[in-house]
């Protein structure tokens, strides 16, 4: 019998945000579908694809280093991702790369792979799981609903890298979600550059889901996703008034009571300079109304400190906002003058020490607020999703904890639980980020 030739092997290095990870999953799925093997080492790979990030200068450095390492270790390298869209920086630094594409360029990456490493497809042997190849654990998955962004926040270059908003057809998104549910996924993390804008570009066109007409709009999407028996968590929700419509879905338990809303600042002047919506009183009213509708709502946000021209009193407005808003989770970034961002032309650039010192001050200020909000959960029974088991028990997350960015729930007597299991626990303690909990004598599987 003729021996089957060795399948071509591709190494894959993926850097950057969940949106880049989602691009990576699509490329890996196509590679496997076409009969390529994914190599876990540079040695075993016939070529390497490096999926880069170009958001801030540190990410550019990291990406260029990763390309350099892949070239040194393997020699045949294709570059994709956000850094590929930033002029000729990749080619200037590493002229020997085989090809460079921008982000969300599945076909271009595949064309480059075909040109340098032709496929050997055997349709009887090369099977790809229906849910595709995922980089996350089996029980949760990112679901990208659109690409690009119609905003022009002055600190951000994503629209110039990824273009204007393009929403995926609602039928495709829901089909992918169903496939993931069938594959055992228990939690969907909805991502995009601007989740609340889903469907704006197609004027909320009516699509078809299993023959049923459904509008391409976030509310309808969430309503349908809420039927699939999974946790559905929304990320990158721009604070439009339409977000209010989602709260009833949370109150009904179709959508996790969780909103990741990047407010970025609270001073009206700075928000205007950032080209972000700037009515802080309205935002506070909206947060109060959201909490009234869904008392257990977890709100996560991110802020930028040391934006050009930010005065000490404008920074204090931001701290006052944190006191008033009582957000659950906060991330902060010191302003970074990303090459190509409009904000770099603003006057009043602040020294790095000031930007960093304000970031530290903001995080210290928020610590007490976050801790108090977690303390209020002590004694309560919460549903959690188990992520891992180790010798100290189970490591899980509650409805208020997104993977990687929020806290964890440590279940001290959870050794016998299973990864991907929903269970009810009683919260016994907390620190600034995490909760500690017990199953107690009676194991209570949670019903979604
Ligand atoms: S909404 Fe987000 S992706 Fe769009 S321009 Fe602003 S920061 Fe960038």
């Amino acid at each position: 019998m003729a021996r089957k030739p060795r399948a071509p092997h591709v190494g894959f290095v993926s850097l950057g945000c969940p949106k880049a990870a989602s691009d990576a999953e699509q490329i890996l799925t196509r590679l496997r579908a076409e009969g390529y093997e994914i190599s876990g080492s540079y040695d075993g790979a016939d070529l390497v694809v490096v999926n880069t990030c170009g958001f801030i200068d540190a990410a550019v450095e990291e990406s260029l280093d990763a390309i350099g390492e892949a070239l040194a270790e393997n020699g045949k390298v294709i570059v994709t991702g956000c850094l590929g869209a930033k002029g000729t920086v990749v080619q200037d630094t590493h002229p020997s790369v085989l090809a460079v594409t921008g982000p969300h360029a599945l076909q271009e990456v595949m064309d480059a792979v075909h040109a340098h490493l032709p496929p050997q497809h055997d349709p009887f042997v090369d099977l790809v799981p229906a849910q595709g190849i995922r980089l996350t654990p089996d029980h949760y998955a990112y679901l990208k609903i659109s690409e690009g962004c119609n905003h022009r926040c002055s600190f951000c270059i994503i629209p110039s890298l990824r273009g204007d908003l393009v929403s995926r057809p609602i039928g495709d998104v829901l089909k992918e979600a169903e496939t993931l549910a069938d594959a055992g996924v228990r939690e969907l993390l909805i991502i995009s550059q601007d989740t609340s804008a889903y469907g704006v570009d197609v004027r909320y066109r009516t699509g078809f889901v299993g023959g049923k007409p459904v509008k391409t709009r976030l509310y309808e999407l969430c309503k349908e996703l809420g039927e699939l028996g999974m946790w559905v968590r929304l990320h990158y929700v721009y604070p439009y008034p339409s977000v209010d419509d989602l709260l009833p879905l949370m109150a009904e338990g179709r959508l996790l009571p969780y909103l990741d809303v990047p407010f970025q600042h609270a001073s009206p002047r700075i928000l205007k300079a950032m080209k972000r919506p700037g009515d802080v009183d309205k935002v506070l009213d909206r947060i109060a109304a959201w909490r009234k509708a869904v008392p257990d709502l977890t709100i996560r946000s991110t802020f930028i400190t040391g934006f050009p021209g930010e005065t000490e009193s404008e920074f204090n407005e931001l701290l006052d906002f944190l006191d008033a808003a009582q957000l659950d989770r906060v991330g902060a970034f010191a302003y970074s003058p990303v090459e190509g961002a409009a904000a770099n032309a603003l006057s009043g650039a602040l020294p790095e020490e000031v930007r960093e010192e304000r970031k530290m001050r903001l995080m210290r200020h928020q610590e007490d607020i976050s801790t108090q909000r977690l303390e209020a959960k002590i004694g309560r029974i919460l549903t959690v999703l188990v992520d891992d088991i180790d010798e100290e028990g189970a490591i899980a997350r509650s409805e208020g904890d997104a993977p990687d960015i929020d806290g964890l729930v440590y279940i001290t007597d959870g050794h016998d639980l299973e990864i991907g299991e929903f269970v009810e626990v009683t919260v016994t303690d907390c620190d600034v980020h995490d909760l500690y909990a017990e199953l107690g004598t009676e194991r209570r599987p949670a019903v979604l």
Side-chain angles (χ1 to χ4, degrees):
M1 196 169 77
R3 267 185 74 202
K4 188 172 180 277
R6 175 185 178 274
H9 281 54
V10 177
F12 204 94
V13 179
S14 190
L15 306 166
C17 64
K19 284 153 274 194
S22 176
D23 284 357
E25 286 170 350
Q26 287 179 9
I27 296 167
L28 287 166
T29 300
R30 266 290 281 282
L31 286 168
R32 289 288 285 116
E34 294 189 9
Y36 291 92
E37 288 292 331
I38 308 304
S39 170
S41 69
Y42 290 122
D43 276 2
D46 299 304
L47 68 73
V48 178
V49 176
V50 181
N51 187 25
T52 59
C53 176
F55 187 40
I56 56 172
D57 293 347
V60 172
E61 282 303 311
E62 189 190 9
S63 295
L64 289 173
D65 287 352
I67 297 165
E69 185 181 305
L71 281 170
E73 298 286 332
N74 182 281
K76 290 178 83 178
V77 175
I78 291 169
V79 175
T80 183
C82 286
L83 186 59
K86 287 185 97 175
T88 58
V89 60
V90 174
Q91 294 90 333
D92 292 348
T93 318
H94 297 297
S96 60
V97 294
L98 299 175
V100 180
T101 84
H104 201 52
L106 173 63
Q107 196 51 51
E108 285 173 60
V109 174
M110 293 311 300
D111 290 347
V113 172
H114 295 157
H116 298 282
L117 186 65
Q120 290 174 0
H121 189 191
D122 180 345
F124 297 104
V125 178
D126 305 323
L127 294 176
V128 179
Q131 74 277 18
I133 307 291
R134 290 189 287 113
L135 299 175
T136 46
D138 287 346
H139 60 285
Y140 66 81
Y142 292 100
L143 180 63
K144 184 151 68 169
I145 60 170
S146 61
E147 261 301 329
C149 181
N150 286 346
H151 295 287
R152 294 295 181 265
C153 303
S154 59
F155 53 81
C156 179
I157 55 165
I158 283 178
S160 66
L161 293 179
R162 294 192 169 228
D164 281 340
L165 178 78
V166 179
S167 299
R168 290 181 63 198
I170 191 158
D172 291 4
V173 175
L174 286 168
K175 194 153 177 272
E176 186 176 338
E178 273 170 31
T179 309
L180 290 167
D182 291 345
V185 165
R186 316 304 308 273
E187 176 178 4
L188 278 183
L189 304 139
I190 307 302
I191 55 165
S192 67
Q193 309 297 343
D194 176 8
T195 295
S196 14
Y198 178 63
V200 166
D201 54 316
V202 293
R203 298 194 184 158
Y204 307 121
R205 176 172 63 208
T206 299
F208 287 88
V209 178
K212 181 175 80 171
V214 181
K215 274 192 170 180
T216 310
R217 192 164 56 179
L218 188 60
Y219 173 80
E220 280 78 3
L221 175 67
C222 291
K223 206 165 160 209
E224 296 292 326
L225 291 173
E227 299 288 319
L228 298 177
M230 292 184 278
W231 274 4
V232 179
R233 190 184 296 283
L234 297 183
H235 285 286
Y236 314 117
V237 176
Y238 199 84
Y240 292 123
S242 62
V243 175
D244 300 359
D245 299 340
L246 303 174
L247 275 290
L249 297 179
M250 294 182 188
E252 289 165 16
R254 290 173 187 249
L255 198 55
L256 280 182
Y258 180 97
L259 280 175
D260 172 9
V261 190
F263 291 117
Q264 308 298 14
H265 212 282
S267 148
R269 194 192 72 82
I270 295 290
L271 284 167
K272 196 162 171 225
M274 286 179 165
K275 297 209 162 87
R276 305 269 309 175
D279 194 330
V280 176
D281 290 339
K282 267 198 193 150
V283 167
L284 288 173
D285 288 349
R286 182 160 289 135
I287 290 173
W290 290 345
R291 289 220 166 104
K292 195 161 171 227
V294 180
D296 275 338
L297 179 67
T298 294
I299 306 176
R300 171 184 182 82
S301 191
T302 47
F303 296 92
I304 295 173
T305 61
F307 189 77
E310 181 191 67
T311 63
E312 184 63 24
S313 98
E314 285 164 340
F315 175 68
N316 282 326
E317 283 179 59
L318 178 48
L319 300 187
D320 291 345
F321 173 82
L322 292 181
D323 288 335
Q326 294 285 298
L327 303 175
D328 298 87
R329 311 280 191 187
V330 164
F333 300 93
Y335 176 75
S336 165
V338 181
E339 199 187 318
N344 299 343
L346 296 174
S347 60
L350 295 172
E352 194 181 348
E353 311 83 76
V354 176
R355 293 181 258 143
E356 290 290 342
E357 191 272 334
R358 287 183 184 167
K359 176 180 108 175
M360 297 308 294
R361 227 176 334 144
L362 184 151
M363 291 311 287
R364 273 201 307 274
H365 191 90
Q366 175 65 28
E367 268 183 14
D368 284 347
I369 300 169
S370 292
T371 308
Q372 280 161 19
R373 293 199 62 85
L374 288 182
E375 278 169 353
K377 298 185 180 183
I378 295 175
R380 290 188 53 191
I381 294 173
L382 300 182
T383 297
V384 298
L385 175 58
V386 178
D387 274 344
D388 204 0
I389 311 284
D390 67 13
E391 59 285 355
E392 290 173 37
I395 301 166
R397 288 176 295 105
S398 72
E399 295 183 338
D401 305 306
D404 296 330
I405 51 173
D406 292 324
L408 298 168
V409 182
Y410 292 97
I411 309 169
T412 45
D413 55 355
H415 301 83
D416 296 332
L417 292 171
E418 287 184 16
I419 293 174
E421 182 178 356
F422 285 112
V423 70
E424 287 190 347
V425 294
T426 305
V427 180
T428 55
D429 201 359
C430 77
D431 56 30
V432 60
H433 299 295
D434 304 319
L435 294 173
Y436 297 84
E438 284 174 358
L439 287 172
T441 46
E442 196 190 333
R443 180 156 156 184
R444 295 169 303 234
V447 181
L448 289 192

